[in-house]
Amino acid sequence: MQIEMLYSKIHRATVTDANLNYVGSITIDEELMEVAKLRVGQKVDILNINNGERFQTYVIKGERGKRDICLNGAAARKVHKGDKIIIIAYALFSPQELEEYTPTIVLVDDDNNVEEVLTYQ
């Protein structure tokens, strides 16, 4: 049996751009990806705090240090620049893996700088 659990989350990121004329996905600053343990192409849920939209897309790597959070393609219609979003990744774990399981929660400020990294057990 496998159980789907929270893997990592970037909490209250600020949307820096919405690019409708792009193939699709969410561009995330490379440093934020590393801290949140996200991978290129990984499926993520996006929760828009401003308007209640919830949707899925996949991650592409943004330029390191720019703190970009950009929704691309059709997802760009679900956000506005300046919106606060939560980016959530899930993973499947066996009961044995859950004994050592610790999700990563990345708290960011209004400029998408890492304020704190939380881990829960």
Side-chain angles (χ1 to χ4, degrees):
M1 172 177 60
Q2 295 207 314
I3 302 168
E4 190 170 22
M5 301 288 291
L6 172 67
Y7 172 73
S8 70
K9 173 171 87 166
I10 301 175
H11 190 71
R12 295 188 60 84
T14 303
V15 174
T16 58
D17 199 7
N19 184 353
L20 185 61
N21 297 312
Y22 193 83
V23 177
S25 66
I26 181 169
T27 303
I28 301 175
D29 177 291
E30 183 178 18
E31 288 180 52
L32 290 174
M33 285 179 60
E34 289 173 359
V35 173
K37 302 178 183 174
L38 296 174
R39 298 175 181 266
V40 170
Q42 186 171 5
K43 182 171 87 170
V44 291
D45 284 351
I46 308 299
L47 289 61
N48 187 325
I49 295 168
N50 291 73
N51 65 19
E53 288 279 359
R54 298 173 72 100
F55 55 95
Q56 295 178 332
T57 190
Y58 62 91
V59 175
I60 62 172
K61 186 180 350 181
E63 188 176 331
R64 179 179 286 278
K66 286 192 70 178
R67 298 299 182 254
D68 286 337
I69 300 289
C70 178
L71 278 300
N72 304 299
R77 294 206 181 268
K78 297 187 174 283
V79 300
H80 293 285
K81 186 175 178 180
D83 281 359
K84 294 291 186 182
I85 63 171
I86 302 169
I87 304 164
I88 302 174
Y90 301 93
L92 293 172
F93 297 90
S94 70
Q96 295 78 21
E97 290 172 315
L98 286 175
E99 293 177 16
E100 300 294 321
Y101 161 76
T102 305
T104 301
I105 313 298
V106 180
L107 306 179
V108 295
D109 65 15
D110 289 339
D111 296 316
N112 295 327
N113 295 302
V114 175
E115 286 192 320
E116 189 173 1
V117 179
L118 307 172
T119 54
Y120 299 103
Q121 289 188 342

